[in-house]
Amino acid sequence: MPLDTYGVLSGTLRSHFRDQPDTQGQWFHVNLEVDAPAGRYRCAVDVDSKESATGVRWKAFVLAASVLDPLPSLAPGYHDLSASSGSGAVDYLRHPALADRPGCLFVRRPPAWLQSLLDRFEPPRPWVSGSNLDAAAALEPILVPGRPILVLGQPFDHGGLGMHNIHQNQGDPYGSRWWADNGTWQDGATFTRRPDGRYDVFLNRFSSQADRTGPDGHPL
């Protein structure tokens, strides 16, 4: 079954810090401190590779606020989201604004001449692979204190307000401990609003997770 709760936290970024070796627990996170009406949330962005030794994968880019509707218009605070297109939920593999190539109309790779033209007008957004420290370094430039922030994932309230599962939440392989959490339209993400109104986007996933999934979120 998919995650039992999923939603978005809208707030103001206060600060961030990395887990330290003596406090990080089993996985390594970049922790975001976000102020919202209910209090200060700790949002743990998981940038560890879990089951794979080849590292975590991520991508960072900029989007217009309009393509993230209705998220930018939400009031500060936590909001549950239905796991469906149009609710504001995120799906790395299905959301048209988050695809590897935005607006791509081709199921198969187009001819080389057309591919070259597409690359000029719609640059591809490949996943970058690296260590947990590489991923942390890629995330931190968008973590500007005072920026409005949208954090998608799963809320928790043990030890204070917080959000976790801020990463892809589908495509985990059969037999892994995360197989039961697979589902579509429930991926985590970090969006911070720039002064010009656009959003910096950071998406993160694990190299053990599949690039294609079925309607249940399991690997194809």
Side-chain angles (χ1 to χ4, degrees):
M1 61 181 294
L3 300 178
D4 55 7
T5 54
Y6 172 75
V8 60
L9 173 66
S10 174
T12 301
L13 180 65
R14 179 179 184 271
S15 63
H16 75 275
F17 60 93
R18 297 183 184 186
D19 284 343
Q20 296 301 310
D22 58 343
T23 62
Q24 73 180 55
Q26 192 172 9
W27 313 117
F28 180 81
H29 303 86
V30 175
N31 299 278
L32 318 180
E33 293 187 322
V34 177
D35 290 331
R40 183 164 295 156
Y41 286 72
R42 181 177 68 85
C43 305
V45 183
D46 194 335
V47 291
D48 210 340
S49 57
K50 293 193 184 327
E51 292 187 332
S52 172
T54 60
V56 70
R57 303 170 72 190
W58 68 90
K59 62 172 70 177
F61 51 92
V62 180
L63 285 177
S66 59
V67 302
L68 298 176
D69 284 341
L71 297 180
S73 62
L74 293 176
Y78 172 77
H79 304 266
D80 282 320
L81 297 175
S82 65
S84 60
S85 173
S87 71
V90 165
D91 189 308
Y92 292 1
L93 311 181
R94 294 167 179 82
H95 194 299
L98 305 180
D100 290 356
R101 180 181 300 281
C104 181
L105 301 177
F106 297 94
V107 175
R108 297 181 179 179
R109 186 174 180 85
W113 67 269
L114 183 53
Q115 184 70 65
S116 177
L117 188 63
L118 287 171
D119 288 349
R120 290 179 59 189
F121 291 98
E122 290 187 340
R125 296 171 178 163
W127 291 95
V128 181
S129 297
S131 71
N132 56 347
L133 298 180
D134 294 330
L139 167 61
E140 288 171 332
I142 77 169
L143 301 180
V144 180
R147 274 192 179 187
I149 187 169
L150 298 165
V151 182
L152 290 102
Q154 185 175 34
F156 67 83
D157 59 7
H158 51 275
L161 297 170
M163 297 280 287
H164 66 161
N165 282 329
I166 307 169
H167 50 69
Q168 180 171 306
N169 290 303
Q170 59 180 311
D172 280 297
Y174 178 76
S176 79
R177 59 186 287 190
W178 302 282
W179 166 268
D181 292 336
N182 282 336
T184 61
W185 294 102
Q186 59 165 22
D187 291 331
T190 305
F191 305 144
T192 65
R193 195 174 77 200
R194 299 157 57 103
D196 64 6
R198 296 181 298 164
Y199 278 82
D200 281 316
V201 174
F202 184 82
L203 310 180
N204 48 304
R205 59 187 295 194
F206 309 116
S207 52
S208 56
Q209 292 176 315
D211 296 322
R212 296 175 61 241
T213 65
D216 53 7
H218 293 318
L220 290 177

